[in-house]
Amino acid sequence: MGDEHPSPETELMRRISADIARLLSRPLEPGLYIVATPIGNLADITLRALAVLATVDEVFCEDTRHSRGLFSHFGIDARLLAYHDHNGARLRPRIIELLGDGRSIALISDAGTPLISDPGYKLVRECVAAGFNIFSIPGPSAALGALVCAGLPTDCFMFAGFLPVRGAQRRARLAELSAIPATLVFYEAPSRLFESLTDMATVLGPRPAAVVRELTKLHETVLRDSLDVLADSFAGPPPRGEIAVVVGPPIEVPVPDEAIVAALDRALATQSLRDATKVVAELLGVPKSRVYDLGLEKKRDSE
């Protein structure tokens, strides 16, 4: 007598096959499909992404040679057309025309989620303005992948993309970001990693950080330490692969009462307690109520 109960693996394959068959059988609505693709491990692609890429009328990608490997791996026979920063202005009217004819079009980047430090924003903006449907097919993202494995706060974060190449401009940009009360996520080229980490340590201070390299690939590594220590660890030959740097939010240093009282002494020489309280609170980043209470206490002591 045969086994009446299939193995978990067999049942999983059956369900996957049923789901992909169901997705492939559904006609796609006309519109632009923003499809996330793997950043390294091809198994990370979603069933819905595969179904969309297999059934859309056109697929636009950054590099047809790069994307052809993904399509070949999954046996998808699709016409790949290049869309990138250099030809976008010329192709966008053509894509708008295709959408106007009721076509379904997919946009993919070389890896990850399109528009996240990749071309596509201008196309989406024009499609929205023209009234066409925009469908998000979510999936892999290097920025989010790095964030969740860095071990840093995730309740509030900012993706800051690539920093400027030149040192002075890079430090100026870091200074702009220094006060943001959030975890920062950057992409960086291996050849600039040491210089960028050094500038981060100089401008942002010894914040906790993580360097995430080759995410989802064979040689994936995550190094966690303070920015200054991480900078020293990459002082030698540059590493290889795709790199993301995740930096913790500003480190809050308590302001002692003595510093507040000293600032109040200077302000009270020319201002009322009320005005001095406001100035000192803004200067030191502390609550006005705390400054005012210290001012009253000082006044009572002097009387």
Side-chain angles (χ1 to χ4, degrees), residues 39 111 142 162 187-190 212-215 217 221 240-244:
I39 59 177
F162 283 93
Y187 290 162
E188 192 50 275
V212 183
R213 189 179 68 86
E214 291 292 86
L215 195 62
K217 302 183 181 75
T221 58
R240 295 180 179 180
E242 305 289 332
I243 292 172

mmCIF file with all atom_site columns, all heavy atoms in Angstrom, residues 39 111 142 162 187-190 212-215 217 221 240-244:
data_model
loop_
_atom_site.group_PDB
_atom_site.id
_atom_site.type_symbol
_atom_site.label_atom_id
_atom_site.label_alt_id
_atom_site.label_comp_id
_atom_site.label_asym_id
_atom_site.label_entity_id
_atom_site.label_seq_id
_atom_site.pdbx_PDB_ins_code
_atom_site.Cartn_x
_atom_site.Cartn_y
_atom_site.Cartn_z
_atom_site.occupancy
_atom_site.B_iso_or_equiv
_atom_site.pdbx_formal_charge
_atom_site.auth_seq_id
_atom_site.auth_comp_id
_atom_site.auth_asym_id
_atom_site.auth_atom_id
_atom_site.pdbx_PDB_model_num
ATOM 1   N N   . ILE A 1 39  ? 19.177 40.355 -5.323 1.00 0.00 ? 39  ILE A N   1
ATOM 2   C CA  . ILE A 1 39  ? 20.425 41.112 -5.244 1.00 0.00 ? 39  ILE A CA  1
ATOM 3   C C   . ILE A 1 39  ? 21.630 40.173 -5.239 1.00 0.00 ? 39  ILE A C   1
ATOM 4   O O   . ILE A 1 39  ? 22.769 40.637 -5.183 1.00 0.00 ? 39  ILE A O   1
ATOM 5   C CB  . ILE A 1 39  ? 20.446 42.007 -3.987 1.00 0.00 ? 39  ILE A CB  1
ATOM 6   C CG1 . ILE A 1 39  ? 20.298 41.176 -2.714 1.00 0.00 ? 39  ILE A CG1 1
ATOM 7   C CG2 . ILE A 1 39  ? 19.355 43.057 -4.062 1.00 0.00 ? 39  ILE A CG2 1
ATOM 8   C CD1 . ILE A 1 39  ? 20.385 41.990 -1.430 1.00 0.00 ? 39  ILE A CD1 1
ATOM 9   N N   . ALA A 1 111 ? 19.570 44.820 -9.915 1.00 0.00 ? 111 ALA A N   1
ATOM 10  C CA  . ALA A 1 111 ? 19.357 44.008 -8.716 1.00 0.00 ? 111 ALA A CA  1
ATOM 11  C C   . ALA A 1 111 ? 18.529 44.799 -7.719 1.00 0.00 ? 111 ALA A C   1
ATOM 12  O O   . ALA A 1 111 ? 18.620 46.019 -7.651 1.00 0.00 ? 111 ALA A O   1
ATOM 13  C CB  . ALA A 1 111 ? 20.692 43.617 -8.081 1.00 0.00 ? 111 ALA A CB  1
ATOM 14  N N   . ALA A 1 142 ? 18.617 45.754 -1.073 1.00 0.00 ? 142 ALA A N   1
ATOM 15  C CA  . ALA A 1 142 ? 19.879 45.737 -0.332 1.00 0.00 ? 142 ALA A CA  1
ATOM 16  C C   . ALA A 1 142 ? 19.829 46.659 0.878  1.00 0.00 ? 142 ALA A C   1
ATOM 17  O O   . ALA A 1 142 ? 20.386 46.349 1.932  1.00 0.00 ? 142 ALA A O   1
ATOM 18  C CB  . ALA A 1 142 ? 21.027 46.133 -1.253 1.00 0.00 ? 142 ALA A CB  1
ATOM 19  N N   . PHE A 1 162 ? 24.309 56.820 -2.200 1.00 0.00 ? 162 PHE A N   1
ATOM 20  C CA  . PHE A 1 162 ? 25.764 56.963 -2.295 1.00 0.00 ? 162 PHE A CA  1
ATOM 21  C C   . PHE A 1 162 ? 26.181 58.358 -1.848 1.00 0.00 ? 162 PHE A C   1
ATOM 22  O O   . PHE A 1 162 ? 25.544 59.358 -2.222 1.00 0.00 ? 162 PHE A O   1
ATOM 23  C CB  . PHE A 1 162 ? 26.240 56.730 -3.724 1.00 0.00 ? 162 PHE A CB  1
ATOM 24  C CG  . PHE A 1 162 ? 26.278 55.291 -4.140 1.00 0.00 ? 162 PHE A CG  1
ATOM 25  C CD1 . PHE A 1 162 ? 25.191 54.723 -4.766 1.00 0.00 ? 162 PHE A CD1 1
ATOM 26  C CD2 . PHE A 1 162 ? 27.395 54.505 -3.902 1.00 0.00 ? 162 PHE A CD2 1
ATOM 27  C CE1 . PHE A 1 162 ? 25.207 53.385 -5.171 1.00 0.00 ? 162 PHE A CE1 1
ATOM 28  C CE2 . PHE A 1 162 ? 27.423 53.170 -4.285 1.00 0.00 ? 162 PHE A CE2 1
ATOM 29  C CZ  . PHE A 1 162 ? 26.336 52.611 -4.926 1.00 0.00 ? 162 PHE A CZ  1
ATOM 30  N N   . TYR A 1 187 ? 24.968 53.252 0.493  1.00 0.00 ? 187 TYR A N   1
ATOM 31  C CA  . TYR A 1 187 ? 25.670 52.346 -0.400 1.00 0.00 ? 187 TYR A CA  1
ATOM 32  C C   . TYR A 1 187 ? 27.059 52.939 -0.632 1.00 0.00 ? 187 TYR A C   1
ATOM 33  O O   . TYR A 1 187 ? 27.221 54.160 -0.633 1.00 0.00 ? 187 TYR A O   1
ATOM 34  C CB  . TYR A 1 187 ? 24.956 52.220 -1.748 1.00 0.00 ? 187 TYR A CB  1
ATOM 35  C CG  . TYR A 1 187 ? 23.641 51.471 -1.704 1.00 0.00 ? 187 TYR A CG  1
ATOM 36  C CD1 . TYR A 1 187 ? 22.708 51.598 -2.739 1.00 0.00 ? 187 TYR A CD1 1
ATOM 37  C CD2 . TYR A 1 187 ? 23.317 50.624 -0.647 1.00 0.00 ? 187 TYR A CD2 1
ATOM 38  C CE1 . TYR A 1 187 ? 21.512 50.912 -2.720 1.00 0.00 ? 187 TYR A CE1 1
ATOM 39  C CE2 . TYR A 1 187 ? 22.121 49.938 -0.613 1.00 0.00 ? 187 TYR A CE2 1
ATOM 40  C CZ  . TYR A 1 187 ? 21.221 50.087 -1.654 1.00 0.00 ? 187 TYR A CZ  1
ATOM 41  O OH  . TYR A 1 187 ? 20.020 49.410 -1.626 1.00 0.00 ? 187 TYR A OH  1
ATOM 42  N N   . GLU A 1 188 ? 28.055 52.084 -0.833 1.00 0.00 ? 188 GLU A N   1
ATOM 43  C CA  . GLU A 1 188 ? 29.387 52.600 -1.103 1.00 0.00 ? 188 GLU A CA  1
ATOM 44  C C   . GLU A 1 188 ? 30.176 51.656 -1.997 1.00 0.00 ? 188 GLU A C   1
ATOM 45  O O   . GLU A 1 188 ? 29.985 50.433 -1.952 1.00 0.00 ? 188 GLU A O   1
ATOM 46  C CB  . GLU A 1 188 ? 30.151 52.826 0.215  1.00 0.00 ? 188 GLU A CB  1
ATOM 47  C CG  . GLU A 1 188 ? 31.429 53.629 0.051  1.00 0.00 ? 188 GLU A CG  1
ATOM 48  C CD  . GLU A 1 188 ? 31.207 54.923 -0.734 1.00 0.00 ? 188 GLU A CD  1
ATOM 49  O OE1 . GLU A 1 188 ? 31.249 54.876 -1.985 1.00 0.00 ? 188 GLU A OE1 1
ATOM 50  O OE2 . GLU A 1 188 ? 30.996 55.975 -0.113 1.00 0.00 ? 188 GLU A OE2 1
ATOM 51  N N   . ALA A 1 189 ? 31.022 52.239 -2.823 1.00 0.00 ? 189 ALA A N   1
ATOM 52  C CA  . ALA A 1 189 ? 31.902 51.462 -3.694 1.00 0.00 ? 189 ALA A CA  1
ATOM 53  C C   . ALA A 1 189 ? 33.085 50.944 -2.877 1.00 0.00 ? 189 ALA A C   1
ATOM 54  O O   . ALA A 1 189 ? 33.575 51.650 -1.986 1.00 0.00 ? 189 ALA A O   1
ATOM 55  C CB  . ALA A 1 189 ? 32.400 52.326 -4.846 1.00 0.00 ? 189 ALA A CB  1
ATOM 56  N N   . PRO A 1 190 ? 33.555 49.728 -3.135 1.00 0.00 ? 190 PRO A N   1
ATOM 57  C CA  . PRO A 1 190 ? 34.676 49.188 -2.357 1.00 0.00 ? 190 PRO A CA  1
ATOM 58  C C   . PRO A 1 190 ? 35.909 50.090 -2.364 1.00 0.00 ? 190 PRO A C   1
ATOM 59  O O   . PRO A 1 190 ? 36.579 50.230 -1.342 1.00 0.00 ? 190 PRO A O   1
ATOM 60  C CB  . PRO A 1 190 ? 34.965 47.846 -3.050 1.00 0.00 ? 190 PRO A CB  1
ATOM 61  C CG  . PRO A 1 190 ? 33.672 47.468 -3.696 1.00 0.00 ? 190 PRO A CG  1
ATOM 62  C CD  . PRO A 1 190 ? 33.039 48.754 -4.126 1.00 0.00 ? 190 PRO A CD  1
ATOM 63  N N   . VAL A 1 212 ? 28.031 45.916 5.669  1.00 0.00 ? 212 VAL A N   1
ATOM 64  C CA  . VAL A 1 212 ? 27.406 44.697 5.156  1.00 0.00 ? 212 VAL A CA  1
ATOM 65  C C   . VAL A 1 212 ? 27.882 44.491 3.725  1.00 0.00 ? 212 VAL A C   1
ATOM 66  O O   . VAL A 1 212 ? 27.655 45.334 2.851  1.00 0.00 ? 212 VAL A O   1
ATOM 67  C CB  . VAL A 1 212 ? 25.866 44.814 5.199  1.00 0.00 ? 212 VAL A CB  1
ATOM 68  C CG1 . VAL A 1 212 ? 25.224 43.520 4.735  1.00 0.00 ? 212 VAL A CG1 1
ATOM 69  C CG2 . VAL A 1 212 ? 25.398 45.169 6.604  1.00 0.00 ? 212 VAL A CG2 1
ATOM 70  N N   . ARG A 1 213 ? 28.531 43.361 3.485  1.00 0.00 ? 213 ARG A N   1
ATOM 71  C CA  . ARG A 1 213 ? 29.132 43.108 2.172  1.00 0.00 ? 213 ARG A CA  1
ATOM 72  C C   . ARG A 1 213 ? 28.577 41.827 1.548  1.00 0.00 ? 213 ARG A C   1
ATOM 73  O O   . ARG A 1 213 ? 28.365 40.837 2.240  1.00 0.00 ? 213 ARG A O   1
ATOM 74  C CB  . ARG A 1 213 ? 30.655 42.994 2.318  1.00 0.00 ? 213 ARG A CB  1
ATOM 75  C CG  . ARG A 1 213 ? 31.422 42.949 0.998  1.00 0.00 ? 213 ARG A CG  1
ATOM 76  C CD  . ARG A 1 213 ? 32.918 42.866 1.244  1.00 0.00 ? 213 ARG A CD  1
ATOM 77  N NE  . ARG A 1 213 ? 33.281 41.589 1.827  1.00 0.00 ? 213 ARG A NE  1
ATOM 78  C CZ  . ARG A 1 213 ? 33.536 40.486 1.107  1.00 0.00 ? 213 ARG A CZ  1
ATOM 79  N NH1 . ARG A 1 213 ? 33.472 40.519 -0.210 1.00 0.00 ? 213 ARG A NH1 1
ATOM 80  N NH2 . ARG A 1 213 ? 33.855 39.364 1.726  1.00 0.00 ? 213 ARG A NH2 1
ATOM 81  N N   . GLU A 1 214 ? 28.329 41.891 0.236  1.00 0.00 ? 214 GLU A N   1
ATOM 82  C CA  . GLU A 1 214 ? 27.887 40.726 -0.535 1.00 0.00 ? 214 GLU A CA  1
ATOM 83  C C   . GLU A 1 214 ? 26.633 40.092 0.065  1.00 0.00 ? 214 GLU A C   1
ATOM 84  O O   . GLU A 1 214 ? 26.550 38.864 0.215  1.00 0.00 ? 214 GLU A O   1
ATOM 85  C CB  . GLU A 1 214 ? 29.008 39.695 -0.634 1.00 0.00 ? 214 GLU A CB  1
ATOM 86  C CG  . GLU A 1 214 ? 30.179 40.116 -1.500 1.00 0.00 ? 214 GLU A CG  1
ATOM 87  C CD  . GLU A 1 214 ? 29.799 40.196 -2.988 1.00 0.00 ? 214 GLU A CD  1
ATOM 88  O OE1 . GLU A 1 214 ? 29.303 41.280 -3.402 1.00 0.00 ? 214 GLU A OE1 1
ATOM 89  O OE2 . GLU A 1 214 ? 29.990 39.216 -3.711 1.00 0.00 ? 214 GLU A OE2 1
ATOM 90  N N   . LEU A 1 215 ? 25.657 40.908 0.400  1.00 0.00 ? 215 LEU A N   1
ATOM 91  C CA  . LEU A 1 215 ? 24.429 40.436 1.015  1.00 0.00 ? 215 LEU A CA  1
ATOM 92  C C   . LEU A 1 215 ? 23.736 39.388 0.146  1.00 0.00 ? 215 LEU A C   1
ATOM 93  O O   . LEU A 1 215 ? 23.567 39.579 -1.056 1.00 0.00 ? 215 LEU A O   1
ATOM 94  C CB  . LEU A 1 215 ? 23.501 41.628 1.250  1.00 0.00 ? 215 LEU A CB  1
ATOM 95  C CG  . LEU A 1 215 ? 22.316 41.448 2.179  1.00 0.00 ? 215 LEU A CG  1
ATOM 96  C CD1 . LEU A 1 215 ? 22.794 41.115 3.586  1.00 0.00 ? 215 LEU A CD1 1
ATOM 97  C CD2 . LEU A 1 215 ? 21.468 42.716 2.198  1.00 0.00 ? 215 LEU A CD2 1
ATOM 98  N N   . LYS A 1 217 ? 24.832 36.689 -0.919 1.00 0.00 ? 217 LYS A N   1
ATOM 99  C CA  . LYS A 1 217 ? 25.752 35.933 -1.782 1.00 0.00 ? 217 LYS A CA  1
ATOM 100 C C   . LYS A 1 217 ? 26.614 34.979 -0.944 1.00 0.00 ? 217 LYS A C   1
ATOM 101 O O   . LYS A 1 217 ? 26.533 34.946 0.285  1.00 0.00 ? 217 LYS A O   1
ATOM 102 C CB  . LYS A 1 217 ? 26.632 36.892 -2.593 1.00 0.00 ? 217 LYS A CB  1
ATOM 103 C CG  . LYS A 1 217 ? 25.852 37.867 -3.470 1.00 0.00 ? 217 LYS A CG  1
ATOM 104 C CD  . LYS A 1 217 ? 26.798 38.717 -4.284 1.00 0.00 ? 217 LYS A CD  1
ATOM 105 C CE  . LYS A 1 217 ? 26.047 39.716 -5.154 1.00 0.00 ? 217 LYS A CE  1
ATOM 106 N NZ  . LYS A 1 217 ? 25.508 40.855 -4.388 1.00 0.00 ? 217 LYS A NZ  1
ATOM 107 N N   . THR A 1 221 ? 29.234 39.006 4.457  1.00 0.00 ? 221 THR A N   1
ATOM 108 C CA  . THR A 1 221 ? 29.854 39.312 5.745  1.00 0.00 ? 221 THR A CA  1
ATOM 109 C C   . THR A 1 221 ? 29.203 40.551 6.344  1.00 0.00 ? 221 THR A C   1
ATOM 110 O O   . THR A 1 221 ? 28.795 41.466 5.622  1.00 0.00 ? 221 THR A O   1
ATOM 111 C CB  . THR A 1 221 ? 31.373 39.568 5.620  1.00 0.00 ? 221 THR A CB  1
ATOM 112 O OG1 . THR A 1 221 ? 31.592 40.653 4.708  1.00 0.00 ? 221 THR A OG1 1
ATOM 113 C CG2 . THR A 1 221 ? 32.098 38.337 5.125  1.00 0.00 ? 221 THR A CG2 1
ATOM 114 N N   . ARG A 1 240 ? 36.078 43.446 -1.942 1.00 0.00 ? 240 ARG A N   1
ATOM 115 C CA  . ARG A 1 240 ? 35.343 43.249 -3.182 1.00 0.00 ? 240 ARG A CA  1
ATOM 116 C C   . ARG A 1 240 ? 33.853 43.157 -2.901 1.00 0.00 ? 240 ARG A C   1
ATOM 117 O O   . ARG A 1 240 ? 33.437 42.870 -1.792 1.00 0.00 ? 240 ARG A O   1
ATOM 118 C CB  . ARG A 1 240 ? 35.816 41.969 -3.887 1.00 0.00 ? 240 ARG A CB  1
ATOM 119 C CG  . ARG A 1 240 ? 37.256 41.997 -4.356 1.00 0.00 ? 240 ARG A CG  1
ATOM 120 C CD  . ARG A 1 240 ? 37.623 40.694 -5.043 1.00 0.00 ? 240 ARG A CD  1
ATOM 121 N NE  . ARG A 1 240 ? 38.998 40.687 -5.526 1.00 0.00 ? 240 ARG A NE  1
ATOM 122 C CZ  . ARG A 1 240 ? 39.557 39.670 -6.161 1.00 0.00 ? 240 ARG A CZ  1
ATOM 123 N NH1 . ARG A 1 240 ? 38.852 38.552 -6.362 1.00 0.00 ? 240 ARG A NH1 1
ATOM 124 N NH2 . ARG A 1 240 ? 40.805 39.740 -6.572 1.00 0.00 ? 240 ARG A NH2 1
ATOM 125 N N   . GLY A 1 241 ? 33.071 43.378 -3.943 1.00 0.00 ? 241 GLY A N   1
ATOM 126 C CA  . GLY A 1 241 ? 31.644 43.129 -3.842 1.00 0.00 ? 241 GLY A CA  1
ATOM 127 C C   . GLY A 1 241 ? 30.815 44.372 -3.568 1.00 0.00 ? 241 GLY A C   1
ATOM 128 O O   . GLY A 1 241 ? 31.311 45.493 -3.479 1.00 0.00 ? 241 GLY A O   1
ATOM 129 N N   . GLU A 1 242 ? 29.505 44.132 -3.426 1.00 0.00 ? 242 GLU A N   1
ATOM 130 C CA  . GLU A 1 242 ? 28.542 45.193 -3.139 1.00 0.00 ? 242 GLU A CA  1
ATOM 131 C C   . GLU A 1 242 ? 28.541 45.472 -1.641 1.00 0.00 ? 242 GLU A C   1
ATOM 132 O O   . GLU A 1 242 ? 28.537 44.545 -0.826 1.00 0.00 ? 242 GLU A O   1
ATOM 133 C CB  . GLU A 1 242 ? 27.140 44.766 -3.584 1.00 0.00 ? 242 GLU A CB  1
ATOM 134 C CG  . GLU A 1 242 ? 27.052 44.338 -5.049 1.00 0.00 ? 242 GLU A CG  1
ATOM 135 C CD  . GLU A 1 242 ? 27.206 45.521 -5.980 1.00 0.00 ? 242 GLU A CD  1
ATOM 136 O OE1 . GLU A 1 242 ? 26.851 46.643 -5.580 1.00 0.00 ? 242 GLU A OE1 1
ATOM 137 O OE2 . GLU A 1 242 ? 27.674 45.310 -7.122 1.00 0.00 ? 242 GLU A OE2 1
ATOM 138 N N   . ILE A 1 243 ? 28.506 46.758 -1.283 1.00 0.00 ? 243 ILE A N   1
ATOM 139 C CA  . ILE A 1 243 ? 28.661 47.135 0.129  1.00 0.00 ? 243 ILE A CA  1
ATOM 140 C C   . ILE A 1 243 ? 27.589 48.131 0.550  1.00 0.00 ? 243 ILE A C   1
ATOM 141 O O   . ILE A 1 243 ? 27.260 49.069 -0.184 1.00 0.00 ? 243 ILE A O   1
ATOM 142 C CB  . ILE A 1 243 ? 30.054 47.754 0.376  1.00 0.00 ? 243 ILE A CB  1
ATOM 143 C CG1 . ILE A 1 243 ? 31.138 46.678 0.194  1.00 0.00 ? 243 ILE A CG1 1
ATOM 144 C CG2 . ILE A 1 243 ? 30.148 48.369 1.766  1.00 0.00 ? 243 ILE A CG2 1
ATOM 145 C CD1 . ILE A 1 243 ? 32.534 47.222 0.219  1.00 0.00 ? 243 ILE A CD1 1
ATOM 146 N N   . ALA A 1 244 ? 27.040 47.906 1.730  1.00 0.00 ? 244 ALA A N   1
ATOM 147 C CA  . ALA A 1 244 ? 26.148 48.869 2.381  1.00 0.00 ? 244 ALA A CA  1
ATOM 148 C C   . ALA A 1 244 ? 26.722 49.181 3.751  1.00 0.00 ? 244 ALA A C   1
ATOM 149 O O   . ALA A 1 244 ? 27.277 48.300 4.421  1.00 0.00 ? 244 ALA A O   1
ATOM 150 C CB  . ALA A 1 244 ? 24.732 48.318 2.507  1.00 0.00 ? 244 ALA A CB  1
#
